[in-house]
Amino acid sequence: MTRLIIAVDGPAAAGKGTLAKALAASLNLPYLDTGLLYRAVARQMLLKNLDPVTESGEEAARNLQPQDLLRQDLRVPEIDRAASTVATQPLVRTALLQRQRDFAAATGGVVDGRDIGTVVFPQADVKLFVTASARTRALRRHCQLHGDATLSDVALQRLIEEIEARDQKDASRAVSPLRRAEGAILLETDDLDAGAVLQKALSIVRNR
Ligand code: CDP
């Protein structure tokens, strides 16, 4: 059985999930969306009326159950903000670290997040850093959430600002900040559709 580990990192809404899922399917590997772990911790805190800014998410992270990851209310703006806040808490990150390592240790896998190549799997066989301009990412996120519904200039501007605020929070935190890992290959995706990004990534994996 192959134990290839592929780390896919990058800023918010860059298309990491789309790429990682497609890569995993093409290579017959399991896929782990680590952002979902932070989102689920944030949701569990909010359900208990705990404020992620002032209160610890450690217990929520330790007690996270598989069904908590299946909730339909994890990809909403409230959770975008709360997840990036709990993600700044070192004890939350520590509580989630082993889970992430265990997931891919036996079988390998494609793992997407912010610190996969730097912290979770620094020895990953392939490290990709997927990015695009904030405008492109805002348009992609809108499309992911609302299909081809029209987006006004004001709403687009607001989405861009939210994405930039989250990037800033993710990149400036003290523990496991978002950054390109040593050895990570940069995939600039402004001018590439999902299929083209997948083909590039597959050729990087084949030529590793
Ligand atoms: O899908 P999107 O790029 O919008 O976000 P996500 O991957 O679901 O991650 C949500 C939040 O979790 C991020 O803004 C990060 O603050 C945090 N996160 C993290 O700190 N480390 C990871 N490995 C994955 C996500």
Side-chain angles (χ1 to χ4, degrees), residues 52-69:
V53 176
T54 54
E55 291 172 281
S56 172
E58 186 187 9
E59 202 184 321
R62 288 198 180 286
N63 295 333
L64 207 60
Q65 301 298 314
Q67 66 268 23
D68 298 338
L69 303 176

Side-chain angles (χ1 to χ4, degrees), residues 4-25:
L4 196 67
I5 294 184
I6 302 179
V8 182
D9 290 304
K16 303 178 298 293
T18 304
L19 170 63
K21 232 177 279 170
L23 258 184

Side-chain angles (χ1 to χ4, degrees), residues 12-13 16 34 39 84 87 93 114-115 141 166 170 173:
K16 303 178 298 293
T34 64
R39 289 176 180 274
S84 63
R93 304 200 72 87
R114 301 291 187 287
D115 61 341
R141 181 49 45 97
R166 196 143 60 92
D170 288 346
R173 68 181 173 226

